[in-house]
């Protein structure tokens, strides 16, 4: 079972990305945020990028590639709380930890984070909805 149900088709994704390019929006995988510590200036170029930021950018690119692949297979719907509960996402996250793929774990954690939800306890997952 996928996330929940398809939302954005691969064709719709391509159209959205084409519009974003037409509007001059940067590719999300190329965005650099930099670190803003108390005594550290933001990093401005790739050469001066903090290793943490570079690692996050590479991880995010891998996450986006995996999400695109799964969307092309018809998966989606994680953002619809009526069709896809936090408990279900938490169950999937826990299953994928055991499978060992950090990209899947990262994507599932992102989904919960973006919905403002926490990972359900193992007891809640085992008891179900």
């Amino acid at each position: 079972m996928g996330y929940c149900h398809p939302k954005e088709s691969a064709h719709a994704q391509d159209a959205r990305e084409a519009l974003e390019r037409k509007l001059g929006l940067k590719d999300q995988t190329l965005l650099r945020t930099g670190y803003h510590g108390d005594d550290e200036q933001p990093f401005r170029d790739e050469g001066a990028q903090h290793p943490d930021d570079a690692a996050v950018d590479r991880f995010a690119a891998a996450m986006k590639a995996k999400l695109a692949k799964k969307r092309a297979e018809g998966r989606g719907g994680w953002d619809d709380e009526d069709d896809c509960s936090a408990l279900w996402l938490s169950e999937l996250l826990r299953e994928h930890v055991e499978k060992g793929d950090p990209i899947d774990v990262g994507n599932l954690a992102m989904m919960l984070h973006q919905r403002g939800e926490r990972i359900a306890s193992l007891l809640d997952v085992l008891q179900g909805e």
Side-chain angles (χ1 to χ4, degrees):
M1 182 171 214
Y3 303 130
C4 288
H5 59 76
K7 281 289 188 184
E8 182 180 45
S9 68
H11 178 71
Q13 177 192 3
D14 291 342
R16 178 183 47 77
E17 289 174 351
L19 177 61
E20 290 171 350
R21 282 191 300 277
K22 183 178 178 183
L23 295 173
L25 300 174
K26 291 183 177 183
D27 182 336
Q28 294 296 308
T29 61
L30 300 178
L31 292 179
R32 304 291 191 245
T33 57
Y35 176 75
H36 299 270
D38 294 335
D39 57 350
E40 189 170 347
Q41 295 298 314
F43 292 99
R44 301 273 183 225
D45 60 59
E46 182 80 16
Q49 187 179 29
H50 192 281
D52 292 348
D53 294 328
V56 168
D57 290 337
R58 290 189 305 272
F59 190 64
M63 289 171 61
K64 288 175 74 170
K66 184 77 173 258
L67 288 169
K69 177 183 175 197
K70 294 302 178 181
R71 274 194 308 273
E73 295 173 3
R75 296 194 181 168
W78 64 267
D79 54 337
D80 186 343
E81 294 178 28
D82 293 331
D83 287 339
C84 186
S85 70
L87 191 61
W88 173 244
L89 290 174
S90 295
E91 182 177 345
L92 288 174
L93 186 148
R94 290 177 179 284
E95 288 174 5
H96 283 84
V97 165
E98 294 305 315
K99 289 181 180 180
D101 185 345
I103 303 303
D104 287 338
V105 172
N107 280 330
L108 290 159
M110 172 277 299
M111 293 170 191
L112 288 163
H113 175 267
Q114 290 300 296
R115 290 171 37 158
E117 296 175 315
R118 300 183 56 78
I119 300 166
S121 73
L122 181 57
L123 180 60
D124 288 343
V125 168
L126 292 173
Q127 289 177 342
E129 293 187 50

